[in-house]
Amino acid sequence: MKISGSYTLPVAPERAYQILQDPAVLAQAMPGCEGLEQIGPNEYRMKMNVILAALSGKFEGKVRIADAVPPTSFRLIVEGSGRIGFLKGDGLLKLSLANTNPSVSTVVSYEGDAHVGGTLAAVGQRLIDGTSKMMLKKFFDKLVSLAH
Amino acid sequence: MATTTVKTETFVGKRIRRREDPRLITGTATYVEDIQMPGMHYAMILRSPHAAARIRSINTKPAEAAPGVVCVFTGKDTKGVGVVPCGVAMPDLRVPQHTILATDRVYFVGHPVAVVVARDRYLARDAADLIEVDYEVLPAVADPEKALAKGAPAVHPQWPDNIAFTYHQDGGNIDKAFAEADVVVKQRIVSQRLVPMAMETRGVVAEWRGADRQLNLYTSTQIPHLVRTLVAGMLGLEENRMRVIAPEVGGGFGSKLNVYAEEALMGFVSTRIQKPVKWIESRRENFTCTIHGRGHVDYYEVAAKRDGTILGIKLKLIQDVGAYHQLLTPLIPQLSVLMMPGIYNTQNIRADIVGVFTNCVPTDAYRGAGRPEATHGIERMVDVLAAELKMDPAEIRFKNFVTKDKFPYATATGLMYDSGDYAAPLRKALDLVGYVKLRLEQADLRKQRKYMGIGISTYGEICAIGPSPATPAGGWESATVKIDPTGKVTILTGTCPHGQGEETTFAQIAADELGVGLDDILVIRGDTAVVQYGIGTFGSRATAVGGTAVYYALQDLKAKIKKFGAMLLESDDVTLIGGQVVDNKTGKSTTLQEIARASYRALKLPPNTEPGLIATRFWEPPNFTFPFGAHIVVTDIDGETGQIKIRRYVAVDDCGNILNPLIVDGQVHGGVAQGLGQALWEQAVYDDDGQLTTGELMDYALPRAHLMPWIESHHTCTPSPVNPLGVKGVGEAGTIGCSPAVVNSVVDALAPLGVRHIDMPLTPEKIWKVLAAKH
């Protein structure tokens, strides 16, 4: 499944880039995140509680950052599995200075591929698209509140 | 002894309400799930979330330490258990080792990996989540045509081309037929993957009685005796130490005409823990690990004369096998080939099947098993040909039918059609639907750019499966009829009815033969310790083959009853009528009860006669039977939304003699419902990674009651000469006749737009896209 979209953060690209890679900030911003622990350079272990309509369950996985080009882009690779299935995602995030706003802000655009499997795929297929969009919106909304 | 009036009421041919229904509709029937035993444990099976992966390691320790858990088994523990059997033998068939639990790899989503046994099913469920399986995910392929392409991932590494088997059949002179043709039409036709969806999912209770060296296996199956033979073999247990009981079975549709890993697995678990164990399949499991049906991609070519005479048919058939062969998987597309000429008089055919492994749950028999695919193919092709030649679809059918003077009729595929009058149901259906008027109305509606279609399907099918040489496990059926000392009648049948109503029809047969009431008769099935042996219920065989065995056992029994009656009456000229033996000379009579008592008391016996009243027959049918019929569907299509509305559904089925019209109606209705499901809504969809994305009833569009049209069910009657009852079978007719009639109707509606074919299911979205593209 393809995922893409964009979001505007009301901070300069350098600051946006920094918070997008700050485990403490990310852990707070990611919906359902119950822990993010650094296990290597640019690699984190993540615990997450996912709720998708009638399905809910804990996921354990890894988040990895690759191809980092501060402050303009990086790749985010997520892998997790739990009792309701597994998910894998690989996305490219691009940051650019928004020039339409009077104050400084950054457009974060993302484009990637997501795969789900197991019960999550069998039962939740209809809901994944909407839920992932909702979760991303929650994530960025929270990020805005943490950015200042 | 007295002279009394004789009972004259008969039951065969009457609309007798099903005797099994009260317990079924009041929730008092006993299914596998209802069985409780002291000390019973519960099993939960952990299944693969991946379509293809190598198992690097499995850590069961956290699950074993969980509360209530007795043990956890993986593929390492079950290595001694035999593989899940494929019952079909054919040259070059590639049979992968289908172990009951995965060992080093998983091959489809739902593949069993481990089993947790706990004293409570919820504890087992929770513990299963604690098992840690380290998978190395591998590329998967879920589409049979993609699996055949070069460079596709190999489902089984040892067979990189993914070909499971090939099969070729030639009849007549196909090259000559195509050389002489005025016209050749070609079409790719898909019969999509379907989930059989029995209301009762599968379930197993295994009870090992160590002291008796006896394994009792309760399982929701259509074939208890075959399960006993095969599962005993898998477990290395002597067959006489195993008893299989199919209690009430809540639907099967072919999905329970199988031997599954879980049946042997529960037997294994029970012998290990020395306790009874229960496993009940959840609906979500059912989607991913019980067989699917259909899964055909067919490439048809039909050669014909300009006047519509069909000269020959070519078929390239790609069968989606799934990851393994289940019991009959490779046989199903062969049934399609047998049926490919339909009921048309063409002696030239060529068929090539390629069975393809995919990373999906295996396909196998689903209501109709090969015949719906074949009927859909030929009936669509006849319409495609009619459109090409601008002929009326009814006219082209009349032109090509095997005429009624040609029976028995030898087909190009090697069958011998028993009896038929193919024009009769079509004529009747055309009259009933008002065909001529409808065509005039259609012409008017077309001027108003409204879409109304009339679809015809004239199907033939193979029933009463079947003569033993043509089946993998024997095609006969058995019956024992016994009369107790008090005169009550018990029938033990080797069939295993699970919705077909033979507790009623077999009682009707016996009641008429013996002249007793229905309430005097008990029909027992589904217990290998009680019933002699049997093949089971599938392929519309239970009444035509099993009922015939009952009939012949009754004849033996009647002869014996008459011997005892004659002895008691001291006569040499007696008749058995109305539950009594009557002396033809004096009119004196003796009742069945008196005869039964005398036969067991045995103070005196007729010459060369043993005590007791019991007779057993194993009846081998000399041929299949071949029912047929005509279904006509009238549809109206909403040009804005693509919604299809079925205005009329006329079914004229010829299933030979009808023993119980009520039951036949029920079979037709149920069959049509499932045919409509395939035609309009249902489809099992795997994504490119082999994930089943239609894994629940929210996404898999099973027909609901409110979606059903009114089915106008009618009959013609051409008795079968194959059995003395003259019956043919009707369990699958509705499904077989339905889907092409619906698709032909919709294509007919859209014909002004140049539409020639649309693949099932005909969802509004699909129709809307067709409409949008043409406008």
Side-chain angles (χ1 to χ4, degrees):
Chain A
M1 186 180 60
K2 300 271 177 223
I3 292 179
S4 66
S6 67
Y7 202 89
T8 305
L9 292 176
V11 291
E14 289 74 14
R15 173 69 184 143
Y17 192 88
Q18 191 189 0
I19 58 170
L20 277 168
Q21 303 205 352
D22 180 342
V25 174
L26 292 178
Q28 284 184 70
M30 281 195 287
C33 181
E34 292 180 347
L36 197 67
E37 171 201 347
Q38 189 147 13
I39 51 170
N42 290 330
E43 196 168 358
Y44 305 90
R45 183 180 296 132
M46 177 180 65
K47 283 188 181 175
M48 208 173 171
N49 193 31
V50 175
I51 301 173
L52 188 67
L55 289 177
S56 70
K58 291 199 191 314
F59 274 73
E60 281 192 41
K62 282 182 191 168
V63 179
R64 200 156 58 83
I65 290 166
D67 307 338
V69 188
T72 54
S73 72
F74 65 95
R75 265 177 69 215
L76 195 64
I77 300 141
V78 184
E79 267 185 43
S81 64
R83 53 176 283 249
I84 58 170
F86 63 85
L87 57 86
K88 281 188 290 189
D90 187 331
L92 182 67
L93 284 90
K94 285 186 191 162
L95 288 75
S96 57
L97 187 65
N99 46 17
T100 50
N101 280 3
S103 55
V104 174
S105 59
T106 304
V107 176
V108 183
S109 64
Y110 54 90
E111 202 173 306
D113 248 332
H115 295 267
V116 295
T119 310
L120 202 55
V123 177
Q125 199 72 19
R126 273 171 298 112
L127 309 166
I128 287 166
D129 203 32
T131 305
S132 59
K133 280 194 182 123
M134 180 199 71
M135 283 173 76
L136 279 163
K137 184 172 181 318
K138 274 189 179 170
F139 169 73
F140 282 112
D141 284 350
K142 185 77 181 179
L143 215 55
V144 170
S145 73
L146 296 170
H148 295 293
Chain B
M1 261 163 261
T3 308
T4 48
T5 53
V6 294
K7 181 181 121 339
T8 51
E9 187 188 1
T10 59
F11 298 100
V12 167
K14 295 199 175 135
R15 298 181 78 85
I16 309 283
R17 285 193 185 174
R18 301 199 329 166
R19 305 164 74 213
E20 41 275 81
D21 281 349
R23 67 172 191 268
L24 295 176
I25 61 175
T26 55
T28 49
T30 303
Y31 297 87
V32 172
E33 167 67 313
D34 297 312
I35 293 163
Q36 291 299 336
M37 290 178 186
M40 184 180 258
H41 282 57
Y42 298 86
M44 170 75 202
I45 295 168
L46 181 73
R47 298 180 182 278
S48 169
H50 301 288
R54 196 168 287 124
I55 298 174
R56 289 199 197 101
S57 65
I58 304 177
N59 180 9
T60 58
K61 288 209 170 66
E64 281 159 3
V69 172
V70 175
C71 52
V72 179
F73 297 111
T74 67
K76 280 193 184 120
D77 304 301
T78 57
K79 274 196 171 136
V81 179
V83 294
V84 179
C86 169
V88 183
M90 56 192 286
D92 306 325
L93 180 67
R94 289 168 170 175
V95 183
Q97 284 285 94
H98 187 177
T99 53
I100 61 168
L101 290 174
T103 52
D104 54 342
R105 282 172 81 116
V106 288
Y107 293 90
F108 63 97
V109 171
H111 198 148
V113 172
V115 58
V116 182
V117 185
R119 57 180 159 75
D120 172 295
R121 72 175 68 184
Y122 300 98
L123 295 175
R125 172 70 188 81
D126 287 345
D129 290 340
L130 302 175
I131 299 173
E132 294 161 4
V133 186
D134 185 9
Y135 292 106
E136 178 193 343
V137 179
L138 301 168
V141 62
D143 177 286
E145 288 190 293
K146 285 182 186 164
L148 284 176
K150 274 210 164 53
V155 175
H156 297 280
Q158 66 270 40
W159 300 307
D161 58 8
N162 288 322
I163 291 175
F165 61 92
T166 58
Y167 176 83
H168 174 85
Q169 193 170 347
D170 254 334
N173 190 338
I174 192 74
D175 295 323
K176 184 164 169 279
F178 272 73
E180 289 172 357
D182 296 328
V183 55
V184 172
V185 287
K186 300 179 185 182
Q187 184 61 52
R188 175 183 187 267
I189 297 173
V190 176
S191 278
Q192 75 272 33
R193 251 185 193 259
L194 300 171
V195 183
M197 203 67 68
M199 197 181 289
E200 182 208 16
T201 57
R202 291 188 295 123
V204 183
V205 169
E207 180 198 23
W208 171 248
R209 291 168 169 261
D212 303 331
R213 239 190 103 63
Q214 165 88 28
L215 178 65
N216 294 334
L217 196 80
Y218 298 77
T219 180
S220 185
T221 184
Q222 302 171 224
I223 48 167
H225 283 93
L226 299 181
V227 167
R228 185 187 71 185
T229 304
L230 293 166
V231 173
M234 290 166 79
L235 295 172
L237 190 67
E238 305 91 314
E239 191 176 354
N240 59 359
R241 295 289 177 179
M242 186 161 166
R243 174 183 184 184
V244 172
I245 300 163
E248 206 76 67
V249 176
F253 313 117
S255 72
K256 295 169 183 172
L257 160 55
N258 229 308
V259 174
Y260 284 100
E262 291 86 355
E263 288 168 325
L265 183 58
M266 291 308 119
F268 166 85
V269 168
S270 185
T271 54
R272 280 299 196 87
I273 67 170
Q274 303 274 318
K275 292 269 192 318
V277 63
K278 179 191 276 188
W279 167 76
I280 300 293
E281 185 187 54
S282 73
R283 182 61 63 189
R284 285 181 191 166
E285 275 183 299
N286 180 264
F287 271 96
T288 60
C289 66
T290 288
I291 62 106
H292 288 178
R294 318 280 191 264
H296 265 220
V297 182
D298 296 333
Y299 290 85
Y300 274 95
E301 290 180 45
V302 172
K305 289 275 184 208
R306 190 144 304 281
D307 69 357
T309 306
I310 297 169
L311 298 176
I313 307 163
K314 286 186 199 170
L315 168 61
K316 282 200 172 129
L317 191 169
I318 298 168
Q319 172 73 52
D320 179 356
V321 165
Y324 290 109
H325 299 294
Q326 278 281 350
L327 192 61
L328 301 172
T329 305
L331 186 71
I332 309 305
Q334 293 178 51
L335 287 169
S336 302
V337 167
L338 285 175
M339 241 8 273
M340 68 181 268
I343 54 178
Y344 306 111
N345 186 25
T346 175
Q347 285 296 325
N348 306 306
I349 62 111
R350 175 172 293 159
D352 282 289
I353 305 176
V354 53
V356 187
F357 289 122
T358 56
N359 290 106
C360 304
V361 72
T363 56
D364 204 323
Y366 169 55
R367 201 168 193 171
R371 290 102 81 208
E373 297 91 315
T375 304
H376 194 74
I378 186 67
E379 289 305 300
R380 281 272 50 243
M381 289 313 292
V382 169
D383 264 33
V384 168
L385 178 64
E388 179 76 20
L389 295 172
K390 299 192 167 46
M391 277 180 81
D392 182 277
E395 184 196 343
I396 197 166
R397 285 175 167 81
F398 281 123
K399 185 162 195 77
N400 285 287
F401 282 149
V402 173
T403 51
K404 66 177 176 182
D405 55 321
K406 294 234 174 76
F407 292 91
Y409 174 82
T411 71
T413 55
L415 296 171
M416 185 66 81
Y417 288 175
D418 57 342
S419 62
D421 180 359
Y422 299 148
L426 179 55
R427 232 180 275 120
K428 188 165 177 176
L430 292 170
D431 284 349
L432 284 162
V433 83
Y435 188 67
V436 177
K437 259 177 97 174
L438 278 173
R439 283 288 177 209
L440 292 173
E441 185 194 340
Q442 185 184 46
D444 277 346
L445 288 170
R446 280 180 178 174
K447 282 178 204 153
Q448 304 165 44
R449 303 188 118 223
K450 284 186 176 162
Y451 304 105
M452 183 268 255
I454 309 159
I456 299 173
S457 126
T458 47
Y459 71 91
E461 59 149 333
I462 312 172
C463 281
I465 291 175
S468 293
T471 60
W476 47 266
E477 199 44 87
S478 74
T480 294
V481 184
K482 52 186 183 179
I483 302 179
D484 295 337
T486 52
K488 298 295 177 190
V489 182
T490 302
I491 297 170
L492 308 173
T493 172
T495 67
C496 191
H498 48 281
Q500 295 81 357
E502 274 86 7
E503 283 178 49
T504 306
T505 37
F506 286 4
Q508 287 176 262
I509 296 169
D512 280 9
E513 289 297 319
L514 298 172
V516 299
L518 291 175
D519 291 341
D520 293 326
I521 301 165
L522 177 68
V523 179
I524 293 179
R525 87 290 177 282
D527 184 344
T528 64
V530 179
V531 175
Q532 49 288 346
Y533 195 88
I535 302 298
T537 290
F538 54 88
S540 299
R541 70 190 304 276
T543 301
V545 189
T548 301
V550 170
Y551 174 85
Y552 280 121
L554 283 163
Q555 303 315 309
D556 290 354
L557 200 58
K558 279 162 68 178
K560 196 167 182 183
I561 290 167
K562 279 162 76 175
K563 278 191 191 172
F564 274 101
M567 178 190 78
L568 294 175
L569 294 167
E570 296 175 335
S571 164
D572 55 6
D573 181 12
V574 295
T575 308
L576 171 62
I577 184 165
Q580 309 188 26
V581 172
V582 182
D583 185 334
N584 290 337
K585 287 173 192 150
T586 64
K588 280 186 179 172
S589 64
T590 177
T591 65
L592 202 52
Q593 285 83 352
E594 288 166 335
I595 291 169
R597 196 185 321 128
S599 80
Y600 286 95
R601 183 65 186 88
L603 287 172
K604 197 179 158 201
L605 293 169
N608 305 317
T609 305
E610 294 173 2
L613 288 181
I614 180 163
T616 298
R617 286 294 286 262
F618 281 55
W619 186 65
E620 169 68 27
N623 191 2
F624 299 103
T625 62
F626 298 90
F628 53 93
H631 287 204
I632 299 184
V633 174
V634 184
T635 53
D636 292 294
I637 296 170
D638 186 321
E640 301 289 316
T641 64
Q643 190 76 37
I644 297 165
K645 188 168 179 289
I646 293 181
R647 190 202 293 189
R648 298 278 300 277
Y649 196 112
V650 174
V652 180
D653 298 291
D654 193 322
C655 55
N657 289 338
I658 291 176
L659 303 184
N660 185 332
L662 192 67
I663 286 178
V664 168
D665 279 355
Q667 289 294 322
V668 170
H669 291 177
V672 167
Q674 284 180 308
L676 287 170
Q678 174 165 22
L680 297 175
W681 302 293
E682 293 181 45
Q683 184 168 26
V685 180
Y686 282 91
D687 70 12
D688 287 341
D689 298 326
Q691 292 292 336
L692 181 69
T693 62
T694 51
E696 63 169 350
L697 288 165
M698 288 292 283
D699 295 311
Y700 185 85
L702 199 69
R704 265 66 162 181
H706 75 279
L707 295 170
M708 286 297 106
W710 181 255
I711 299 163
E712 302 167 46
S713 179
H714 299 268
H715 301 278
T716 56
C717 181
T718 310
S720 174
V722 174
N723 60 67
L725 302 172
V727 298
K728 289 198 168 186
V730 73
E732 297 153 293
T735 315
I736 293 166
C738 175
S739 73
V742 174
V743 177
N744 285 348
S745 182
V746 171
V747 171
D748 181 54
L750 302 176
L753 301 176
V755 173
R756 195 166 91 155
H757 177 73
I758 308 174
D759 274 321
M760 304 180 286
L762 305 180
T763 56
E765 179 203 12
K766 202 181 272 181
I767 302 303
W768 181 83
K769 279 182 177 158
V770 170
L771 289 163
K774 301 285 181 183
H775 279 161

